[in-house]
Amino acid sequence: MRTHYCGLIDEALIGQTVTLCGWADVARNLGGVCFIDLRDHEGIVQIVAEPGEAEGNADVVAIAETIGYEDCLRITGTVRRRHNPNTKIATGQVEVVATAIEVVNKAAPLPFHAHENPGEETRLRYRYLDLRRPEMQRMQRTRIRLVQALRRWLDARGFQDIETPILTKATPEGARDFLVPARMHAGEFYALPQSPQLFKQILMVAGFDRYYQIARCFRDEALRADRQLEFTQLDMEFAWVREPDVQDAVEGMMRTVFKEVIGVDLAAPFPRMTWAEAMRRYGSDKPDLRIALELVDVADLVRDSGFAVFADAANDAEGRVAALRIPGGATLSRKQIDEYAAHAAKFGARGLAYIKIDAAGEVSSPIRKFFDDAAFAALVAHVGAGNGDVVFFGAGGYNRVSDFMGALRLKAGKDFGLVEDAWKPLWVTDFPMFEFDDEAQRYVALHHPFTAPAVDDIDDLRANAKTAVSRGYDMVLNGNEIGGGSIRIHRPEMQSAVFELLGIDAEEAQAKFGFLLDALKYGAPPHGGIAFGIDRIAALMAGTESIRDVIAFPKTTGAQCLMTGAPSPIAEAQLAEVHVAVRPKG
């Protein structure tokens, strides 16, 4: 139907006849001469319908006068140089003089204009119109180029693209599974995969050595800007590797892909930082290194203070007292300081102490009275505070303080314009093997139950489970975890011991993971891997904070597809076929 794309018409085509297809982005009638900005997925070109002596010109102008916004058109015409070039578009040096206009499909009045940014509910309800918008086209094509670049890199290095099952076994050790009733097995269910984790490990046992897959994954969990019920990840696994083998390979992949897709040169090599250091300095296991602010531990300086909140935390072996200095923060009003305290409270803070030093050196602080002059001066000096600064303090359990002080660091960085315009990748390594779940009163795996511990001795692991370190690693970019992986457990005895520490007895382990334990018995090689969030990386590349912008048909935060109306009720007859009865709400 067409000879060229709208956005690719250029000066090399001047004098040639072209046929274009697209949508009327703008239509203007200037007293008998009509201008149409015709848009397709490559861009926009100006169409001119003007009167003249040529046969049919009057008909062309008459049709052009009827064209409305987003009408679907097919236009034939001759390319000529524009008298008034438009430097804002790629085709701005030329225009197409129409000799024929076909209205392929008239558009009804639209709920929003392609150059507007309507509310998200409207965008998702009319997603097909939202995706026509140039900005959405740009973001979707960024994602497409990302996946293409990843595949090129992997295919060129001998990775094997292997599909793993979508209908699999429920192994509820992480987020909730999506369950699928099995019609041919009454009362039994498949689960949609949260990741291909166990299958890719078994592929290593099977001798495939290097695997990858652009995998669809499903987790029935609460949604937010960077999380969806169904998502896409680049899944990778390597046999016969240690941590640096995996890290060096995929780091090189990311440098190549970022250069190809958006022209960005990432650092070489990526810095490496242990989990303990990241939490101590930044209060986060995914620190945003674009913000230079760091937390400072002050427990040693406040152990003997008269402020019980500080003293109690400082004298608790599992406590922390941390400070965050914000240069120029003395401009904060009391109301704004209260807003910072409210923000910290969302992340577990029970209060937020501060010291404010104005430009003249005057100090205002609700905790000043708890320190003598020397102790207070030592505290101010230790955190490096000077005129014009504010210092926030957090006290309590180590992880809780790290969390809310880390959140304050991010907020302050954004509020005070301290976020560097740069790309700051790093590896976070040596994660804790377990964390204790107070509610369940048992250990849970910080990464997943198949991550290898740093120690090879099972008795050592059992004796020191609380402080055990894993062989896990995350790739972080600008405060976002974009990939997570580990060296896996390849000995069945160690895997059984980890299950035991997680409160999974031998019978339960066999029922849930027996196929993995069996596979590990038959000469499983050392292996490890990583999975990258395609949606998250694409969002970073496209410059959007929401992964919904780079997913063609995402769900709302209420887990709905507004365009199709999913989820929706199912007829009783269809439910009966799969042996399912729906319980009443409540």
Side-chain angles (χ1 to χ4, degrees):
M1 292 184 71
R2 63 185 168 199
T3 61
H4 296 77
Y5 290 106
C6 297
L8 302 182
I9 302 299
D10 59 21
E11 292 170 276
L13 295 171
I14 289 174
Q16 295 187 32
T17 298
V18 297
T19 299
L20 309 172
C21 297
W23 290 271
D25 192 76
V26 175
R28 306 180 300 278
N29 184 349
L30 303 182
V33 178
C34 297
F35 295 90
I36 303 163
D37 286 350
L38 190 67
R39 185 188 72 247
D40 63 15
H41 76 280
E42 290 286 359
I44 290 176
V45 67
Q46 178 171 279
I47 309 295
V48 182
E50 58 188 12
E53 298 180 0
E55 185 178 349
N57 272 22
D59 293 338
V60 168
V61 172
I63 295 171
E65 289 174 342
T66 69
I67 289 170
Y69 175 57
E70 290 299 294
D71 283 354
C72 190
L73 309 174
R74 180 171 182 258
I75 297 176
T76 298
T78 303
V79 181
R80 76 179 181 192
R81 189 177 300 278
R82 283 181 67 159
H83 298 300
N84 54 338
N86 181 354
T87 58
K88 294 180 180 180
I89 57 175
T91 62
Q93 297 296 322
V94 295
E95 61 190 8
V96 177
V97 182
T99 55
I101 299 178
E102 177 187 354
V103 180
V104 177
N105 207 345
K106 288 289 291 182
L110 272 67
F112 61 87
H113 192 284
H115 297 285
E116 294 174 349
N117 190 8
E120 187 166 64
E121 182 173 331
T122 300
R123 290 176 57 196
L124 294 181
R125 189 175 301 279
Y126 300 97
R127 188 61 166 179
Y128 38 86
L129 298 178
D130 185 39
L131 289 172
R132 277 191 206 169
R133 297 191 301 127
E135 180 64 4
M136 291 300 294
Q137 289 273 320
R138 180 190 68 81
M139 288 194 278
Q140 293 297 319
R141 294 180 77 176
T142 298
R143 181 197 179 104
I144 291 165
R145 292 196 305 274
L146 165 63
V147 173
Q148 290 171 337
L150 289 169
R151 286 194 182 278
R152 280 195 302 271
W153 191 94
L154 291 159
D155 292 342
R157 287 160 180 80
F159 284 84
Q160 299 168 89
D161 184 358
I162 303 174
E163 293 181 348
T164 55
I166 291 295
L167 296 176
T168 184
K169 182 181 177 68
T171 54
E173 278 301 308
R176 293 185 183 88
D177 288 321
F178 276 103
L179 302 177
V180 180
R183 181 181 61 82
M184 292 183 287
H185 300 274
E188 297 184 347
F189 295 81
Y190 302 103
L192 302 182
Q194 295 188 30
S195 89
Q197 180 63 42
L198 299 185
F199 289 103
K200 69 179 182 180
Q201 289 189 239
I202 288 172
L203 285 169
M204 297 303 100
V205 180
F208 282 94
D209 201 80
R210 283 189 165 196
Y211 142 95
Y212 88 93
Q213 182 181 186
I214 306 293
R216 296 290 285 169
C217 303
F218 307 85
R219 293 179 186 170
D220 189 1
E221 58 186 355
L223 304 191
R224 58 191 189 210
D226 66 346
R227 185 172 291 173
Q228 283 278 297
L229 300 177
E230 51 183 314
F231 56 96
T232 306
Q233 67 185 38
L234 167 60
D235 214 58
M236 303 175 67
E237 199 76 6
F238 307 65
W240 307 103
V241 290
R242 297 185 177 91
E243 292 91 328
D245 302 314
V246 178
Q247 293 167 2
D248 291 347
V250 298
E251 183 180 312
M253 177 182 72
M254 280 298 157
R255 276 195 293 272
T256 299
V257 166
F258 267 77
K259 183 65 173 178
E260 286 186 12
V261 177
I262 59 172
V264 165
D265 291 306
L266 296 180
F270 293 1
R272 281 160 168 75
M273 182 182 299
T274 66
W275 176 88
E277 182 183 358
M279 296 301 289
R280 175 176 59 80
R281 294 173 61 187
Y282 303 107
S284 173
D285 59 4
K286 50 182 179 182
D288 190 342
L289 299 187
R290 296 174 301 167
I291 301 171
L293 303 179
E294 294 193 23
L295 307 184
V296 177
D297 286 309
V298 297
D300 289 345
L301 298 173
V302 300
R303 290 188 200 283
D304 301 321
S305 75
F307 189 36
V309 174
F310 280 11
D312 290 349
N315 288 291
D316 183 344
E318 296 184 356
R320 184 178 195 188
V321 185
L324 175 68
R325 180 183 73 91
I326 304 173
T331 58
L332 291 173
S333 66
R334 181 53 192 266
K335 179 182 177 182
Q336 289 171 317
I337 288 175
D338 290 343
E339 289 171 355
Y340 270 73
H343 183 74
K346 296 177 185 176
F347 297 88
R350 295 189 175 94
L352 193 66
Y354 67 90
I355 296 172
K356 187 162 73 167
I357 308 173
D358 69 17
E362 290 294 320
V363 174
S364 59
S365 170
I367 64 170
R368 174 67 182 85
K369 60 187 176 184
F370 296 105
F371 296 84
D372 61 37
D373 290 345
F376 191 77
L379 181 61
V380 170
H382 185 69
V383 299
N387 292 3
D389 295 345
V390 70
V391 182
F392 288 117
F393 296 87
Y398 193 94
N399 288 342
R400 183 192 295 269
V401 170
S402 299
D403 286 345
F404 72 73
M405 292 299 285
L408 279 185
R409 174 181 172 271
L410 293 178
K411 177 174 171 57
K414 293 175 182 176
D415 290 350
F416 285 85
L418 302 175
V419 183
E420 184 182 353
D421 183 13
W423 294 90
K424 296 282 189 174
L426 79 152
W427 285 104
V428 177
T429 65
D430 300 334
F431 282 79
M433 186 75 182
F434 309 108
E435 57 184 350
F436 194 76
D437 186 324
D438 290 326
E439 187 175 332
Q441 284 297 295
R442 69 179 181 91
Y443 286 115
V444 295
L446 196 68
H447 264 88
H448 54 59
F450 319 108
T451 295
V455 297
D456 290 327
D457 185 273
I458 292 174
D459 291 337
D460 187 342
L461 178 66
R462 286 185 174 128
N464 300 288
K466 184 176 181 179
T467 57
V469 173
S470 80
R471 299 178 69 181
Y473 38 80
D474 284 355
M475 185 184 286
V476 176
L477 181 61
N478 290 4
N480 297 272
E481 178 212 328
I482 61 171
S486 67
I487 300 301
R488 323 301 187 188
I489 298 168
H490 69 282
R491 292 190 292 129
E493 300 83 7
M494 178 63 81
Q495 186 65 78
S496 294
V498 169
F499 285 152
E500 178 189 324
L501 287 167
L502 293 171
I504 302 171
D505 62 28
E507 183 178 352
E508 184 183 2
Q510 189 62 37
K512 289 181 176 179
F513 307 108
F515 61 96
L516 174 66
L517 292 170
D518 288 345
L520 296 181
K521 294 176 184 176
Y522 297 105
H527 58 283
I530 193 166
F532 289 97
I534 297 290
D535 310 307
R536 198 168 292 174
I537 296 171
L540 285 169
M541 287 181 163
T544 178
E545 293 186 357
S546 174
I547 63 170
R548 289 189 288 274
D549 288 335
V550 294
I551 298 172
F553 301 103
K555 304 293 188 292
T556 66
T557 52
Q560 295 174 296
C561 174
L562 298 180
M563 186 182 74
T564 64
S568 60
I570 298 295
E572 286 293 335
Q574 196 172 352
L575 290 172
E577 282 184 340
V578 293
H579 320 288
V580 169
V582 177
R583 297 171 62 179
K585 289 182 180 179

